[in-house]
Amino acid sequence: AQTVTQSQPEMSVQEAETVTLSCTYDTSENNYYLFWYKQPPSRQMILVIRQEAYKQQNATENRFSVNFQKAAKSFSLKISDSQLGDTAMYFCAFMKLTDSNSGYALNFGKGTSLLVTP
Amino acid sequence: DAGITQSPRYKITETGRQVTLMCHQTWSHSYMFWYRQDLGHGLRLIYYSAAADITDKGEVPDGYVVSRSKTENFPLTLESATRSQTSVYFCASVGVTEAFFGQGTRLTVV
């Protein structure tokens, strides 16, 4: 089974600063997707960023970027110029591509609660 | 409107009662998932479905039943609700490169 580990239950950052959230995963698969989802108090799960394992280039979405280290099975999220609206729970997720010989996986870490302070 | 919807958004029920949470998606995605979210546990997989009439257990299936007679619907039933099933429940459907989530159902068992 693929496991996803987020080692930081809570983090805090000041507005306009940069913060990095850590995520490691365990898999024997070669093709898969990794995600960071944001869950604000509204409870809605919002996709922040996506990384395809076969792409070496790290994904970037505006102020959000990842550091994807496939060999180390590490997938950290960097938030630059933090804003008060970034306050939320962040989940790292692993998704295995469909394979007719094995099951499907969409596994989540336990989450990191990020607080952005003025 | 295209999307994935869950109903109800909030539900209070008594111990021992049967409760069904509904999930409907409009994309005709093959894969659908049910998770429960509890503080300190993240999202734990209850059941998933690869297609209509194909379902499989996840990490925490005990006390839950699912069905998938149509591709667009994936209801989750608590056969006899217990207080330990008080939680927030999320349904998700998976496209080619992304998982889409419903708004969640907050279930309280008293």
Side-chain angles (χ1 to χ4, degrees):
Chain A
Q2 291 82 2
T3 58
V4 180
T5 302
Q6 294 179 247
S7 58
Q8 305 150 314
E10 296 178 346
M11 294 193 72
S12 180
V13 63
Q14 282 195 316
E15 202 173 4
E17 297 295 310
T18 296
V19 64
T20 299
L21 280 57
S22 300
C23 174
T24 59
Y25 59 96
D26 184 26
T27 185
S28 58
E29 301 292 334
N30 194 44
N31 296 320
Y32 50 88
Y33 285 88
L34 296 165
F35 307 96
W36 280 98
Y37 281 89
K38 171 185 178 180
Q39 187 182 42
S42 67
R43 217 168 59 207
Q44 183 66 39
M45 293 288 283
I46 302 166
L47 179 66
V48 174
I49 201 164
R50 169 179 55 232
Q51 175 77 44
E52 294 92 332
Y54 62 88
K55 289 187 176 180
Q56 292 187 342
Q57 186 174 5
N58 290 324
T60 300
E61 289 288 341
N62 300 314
R63 298 183 294 108
F64 298 88
S65 61
V66 298
N67 183 3
F68 174 49
Q69 301 290 329
K70 190 173 184 179
K73 297 177 184 175
S74 171
F75 183 60
S76 61
L77 174 69
K78 184 171 80 172
I79 306 175
S80 304
D81 186 25
S82 296
Q83 301 176 359
L84 296 178
D86 295 333
T87 292
M89 182 72 80
Y90 287 82
F91 291 99
C92 179
F94 170 99
M95 186 170 82
K96 189 181 77 169
L97 295 178
T98 303
D99 186 317
S100 60
N101 295 322
S102 59
Y104 202 92
L106 176 56
N107 298 328
F108 292 83
K110 293 185 178 181
T112 296
S113 179
L114 177 66
L115 176 65
V116 181
T117 59
Chain B
D1 291 336
I4 179 167
T5 56
Q6 292 182 233
S7 61
R9 294 290 306 277
Y10 301 90
K11 176 75 176 177
I12 300 174
T13 191
E14 294 179 340
T15 301
R17 290 195 178 268
Q18 183 180 83
V19 178
T20 296
L21 310 183
M22 304 301 294
C23 179
H24 175 79
Q25 53 106 350
T26 61
W27 297 291
S28 299
H29 288 159
S30 294
Y31 281 91
M32 297 186 73
F33 297 78
W34 273 107
Y35 295 88
R36 60 177 289 173
Q37 183 179 11
D38 304 289
L39 194 63
H41 292 279
L43 279 77
R44 292 183 290 176
L45 181 64
I46 304 171
Y47 270 95
Y48 74 96
S49 171
D53 297 322
I54 300 175
T55 62
D56 206 352
K57 296 178 180 179
E59 181 185 355
V60 289
D62 293 343
Y64 303 94
V65 174
V66 293
S67 61
R68 187 129 180 245
S69 57
K70 294 183 178 181
T71 299
E72 61 266 30
N73 296 323
F74 190 38
L76 175 73
T77 297
L78 288 67
E79 294 182 296
S80 178
T82 64
R83 290 194 178 89
S84 65
Q85 293 177 309
T86 292
S87 186
V88 177
Y89 292 85
F90 283 96
C91 176
S93 72
V94 176
V96 176
T97 62
E98 183 179 340
F100 299 87
F101 288 85
Q103 315 95 307
T105 296
R106 180 177 292 279
L107 176 68
T108 302
V109 183
V110 298

